[in-house]
Amino acid sequence: MALFPLTALFEGDVLELLIPVDDADTVEAVGAVIAHHVVGHRVAQRDAPIRLRHNGTVLEPTLGIGAAGVGPLDHVEAFYDQR
């Protein structure tokens, strides 16, 4: 397990975040950390799952963030799943 920072933007927000994560954290957990800083503050809360996109690919929520191919200082985009 290794701690590393990610840059993140939640869709609809105006601020980019620097978020420390562990490479074993699930994609879903990383999305929750990003949402914690944004949802209810600058983006309205919705009854929909939060997903992550990295390099244009939506990541599987159950994968570890490192196993999903995300590395230190990579950029991820969090968004509400529209399905």
Side-chain angles (χ1 to χ4, degrees):
M1 292 196 215
L3 188 65
F4 63 84
L6 296 178
T7 62
L9 183 66
F10 199 104
E11 188 173 76
D13 195 8
V14 296
L15 297 177
E16 184 145 349
L17 304 171
L18 184 63
I19 303 291
V21 299
D22 190 288
D23 65 347
D25 289 346
T26 64
V27 168
E28 183 176 38
V30 172
V33 169
I34 297 165
H36 170 78
H37 296 284
V38 176
V39 173
H41 301 282
R42 294 179 302 277
V43 173
Q45 185 169 357
R46 293 176 45 194
D47 188 24
I50 295 168
R51 302 292 305 269
L52 287 186
R53 188 180 303 116
H54 177 252
N55 292 335
T57 302
V58 177
L59 303 177
E60 175 63 39
T62 58
L63 283 178
I65 195 74
V70 180
L73 292 177
D74 279 0
H75 180 76
V76 295
E77 301 162 353
F79 62 96
Y80 284 113
D81 193 346
Q82 301 296 325
R83 292 187 245 165

